[in-house]
Amino acid sequence: MNIKDGDAVHQSIAAAGISARKERKSKKGQGRSKERSGHASEGLASDSLTREAKRLLGLLEQPETWAFLDMTDSSSVLIHRRRSGISVGAGRFPRTVAEDLVRRDLACWQRTSSRTLLLLTKAGQAHLRRRAAPEQELAFLCQHRETAVAEVKTTAGPARVRVDAEESPLDWLRRRKDRNGEAMIDEASYQAGERLRTDIMLAGLLPGVTARWDGMPKSAGPSSPGEATERMVAARQRLRHAFDAIGGDFSDLLLDICGFIKGLEQIERERQWPARSAKIVVRLALARLAEHYGIETAARGPAASRGIRMWRAVVIEGGRI
C-alpha cells in the first residue's frame, strides 16, 4: 500500500469515528430533551386534575374527615365526617379518582386493622396551598409559608399587608384545635403573650443578628445604662414584675417562645421533655401571665371582681417617687 492509499484509509477511519461521536451526542441530546419534556408533562399533569379529583383532594384536607375504601364495593371510596361526636356520611367517589390522586403522589393508601384509609401526602398539601394562593405570584410563598392578611396602622392610615402566620408560636397555638374542637390557647392567653413579646422587643433584650448603624454609641466607649430611653426602662420594669409573678421556670419558657420565637418541638428537644408536653406547660404559663396582667376571656361584674391585689403604678410628684 502506497502513501496516498494509507492517507485515504486513515481519513476514512477518522471520519467514521467523528460521525459515531456525533451520533452518540445527538442520541444523548434527544434523551435529555425527552426527559425535560417528560418532567414538563408531569408538571402539567399535576395541575390538570378533574373536578371530582379536586373535590376529593379538598375533602381530605378538612378536619374530622376520613376517606376510606368501601368494604362492600371495592370500586368506591366513602367520605365520613364527624358532627357533634357522630360519624356521618359526606359523599362517595369512584375509586379511579382516588387512584388518580395516588398516582400523582397527592394521596396515599394506608391499611389499618379495620379498613383502608386514603390520606393526604405532603405533596398534596403543597398542591392545595398553591391552589389556594390569591395570586399566581404568591403560589410559591403560600406553598412554603402560611400567610394571612392583616390590617396595620401606618402614618398614611390603615393598610392591609400580608404577614407570616407561622412566625410566632402563639399564632400557631391559637389556630390549632384540641380534641374538643377548641383553640389550644384562649384569647386572653394570646393577648398576654403578645404583650410580653412587645415588652421584650421594647426592652432591647434580644441580641441583634445584623449590623445596626442606628444603634452605634455616640461616644468611643461602650454604651452606658444611662443612654437607655424611658420606654426601654419602663419595658424592663414591666418584664421584671411579670417574671416575678409567674416564677423562674415559666419565665425562661415564655422568654424562649415570645422573645426568641422558638417552636414547641425545639423547646422539647433542648429541655429533653416528652413529646407533645410543651404545649401543656405553655398553656399553664400563659394562663398565669394573663392572670398577672388582669386579662380575662369574659368580662366580670363588680360582684365577681377579685379586686386590686397590688398597685404597680409609679406616681412622681415634685420630682420624688
Side-chain angles (χ1 to χ4, degrees):
M1 183 175 60
N2 54 18
I3 298 176
K4 293 182 179 180
D5 294 337
D7 293 339
V9 171
H10 287 301
Q11 289 177 1
S12 62
I13 293 174
I18 292 173
S19 62
R21 285 196 298 271
K22 288 184 178 179
E23 185 177 358
R24 286 196 299 268
K25 289 182 179 179
S26 63
K27 288 182 179 180
K28 290 182 179 179
Q30 292 176 0
R32 293 193 188 98
S33 62
K34 288 181 180 179
E35 184 178 358
R36 286 194 296 267
S37 63
H39 289 309
S41 62
E42 289 177 2
L44 293 175
S46 63
D47 295 333
S48 59
L49 294 174
T50 61
R51 180 180 301 180
E52 292 294 319
K54 291 180 180 180
R55 286 185 57 242
L56 179 57
L57 193 64
L59 289 174
L60 294 178
E61 188 188 22
Q62 296 182 4
E64 302 294 333
T65 303
W66 299 272
F68 53 92
L69 195 63
D70 190 0
M71 293 184 293
T72 59
D73 185 8
S74 60
S75 62
S76 300
V77 175
L78 299 179
I79 306 296
H80 276 206
R81 184 177 301 168
R82 178 173 296 177
R83 292 181 179 178
S84 301
I86 303 175
S87 179
V88 296
R92 178 188 295 268
F93 290 87
R95 184 174 179 176
T96 55
V97 178
E99 293 294 346
D100 187 21
L101 296 179
V102 173
R103 185 171 58 255
R104 298 170 189 267
D105 195 23
L106 301 178
C108 63
W109 295 106
Q110 182 177 355
R111 298 184 182 276
T112 61
S113 58
S114 58
R115 53 191 176 183
T116 303
L117 298 176
L118 182 66
L119 303 179
L120 193 66
T121 60
K122 293 184 178 180
Q125 296 174 0
H127 179 83
L128 288 174
R129 287 194 294 266
R130 288 197 307 269
R131 197 175 67 182
E135 301 176 5
Q136 187 64 28
E137 294 78 6
L138 300 176
F140 183 79
L141 177 63
C142 294
Q143 175 183 349
H144 297 279
R145 291 288 182 181
E146 188 171 351
T147 60
V149 178
E151 185 174 334
V152 297
K153 296 181 179 179
T154 61
T155 56
R160 295 176 63 85
V161 297
R162 184 169 295 276
V163 297
D164 186 3
E166 295 181 348
E167 178 185 2
S168 174
L170 298 176
D171 294 331
W172 185 88
L173 289 171
R174 187 174 63 165
R175 291 194 310 270
R176 294 302 184 274
K177 305 294 183 181
D178 56 8
R179 63 182 62 183
N180 298 326
E182 299 179 357
M184 290 187 178
I185 58 174
D186 54 5
E187 188 65 23
S189 299
Y190 175 78
Q191 294 298 334
E194 286 295 323
R195 181 181 296 187
L196 184 68
R197 180 184 178 185
T198 303
D199 286 339
I200 292 174
M201 296 296 295
L202 293 177
L205 300 179
L206 301 179
V209 295
T210 57
R212 289 185 54 194
W213 300 106
D214 58 343
M216 296 295 292
K218 299 179 181 179
S219 60
S223 58
S224 62
E227 296 181 1
T229 61
E230 295 181 358
R231 180 180 296 181
M232 184 182 298
V233 173
R236 292 183 179 182
Q237 289 178 353
R238 291 193 296 269
L239 285 177
R240 186 176 69 250
H241 293 322
F243 289 160
D244 291 342
I246 63 179
D249 296 336
F250 285 164
S251 300
D252 295 340
L253 178 62
L254 292 182
L255 183 62
D256 288 341
I257 292 179
C258 302
F260 294 99
I261 315 298
K262 293 183 179 180
L264 300 183
E265 295 182 358
Q266 182 179 357
I267 290 176
E268 292 172 354
R269 185 170 57 254
E270 292 178 353
R271 299 171 182 258
Q272 297 181 358
W273 287 357
R276 294 180 295 276
S277 62
K279 58 184 179 182
I280 301 176
V281 185
V282 168
R283 292 176 66 176
L284 297 176
L286 291 174
R288 185 173 298 181
L289 182 64
E291 183 180 359
H292 164 71
Y293 284 144
I295 304 176
E296 298 287 348
T297 306
R300 297 177 180 271
S305 176
R306 293 173 297 177
I308 298 176
R309 294 174 297 174
M310 184 179 299
W311 185 257
R312 299 189 183 278
V314 178
V315 180
I316 301 177
E317 295 180 358
R320 295 180 300 176
I321 298 178

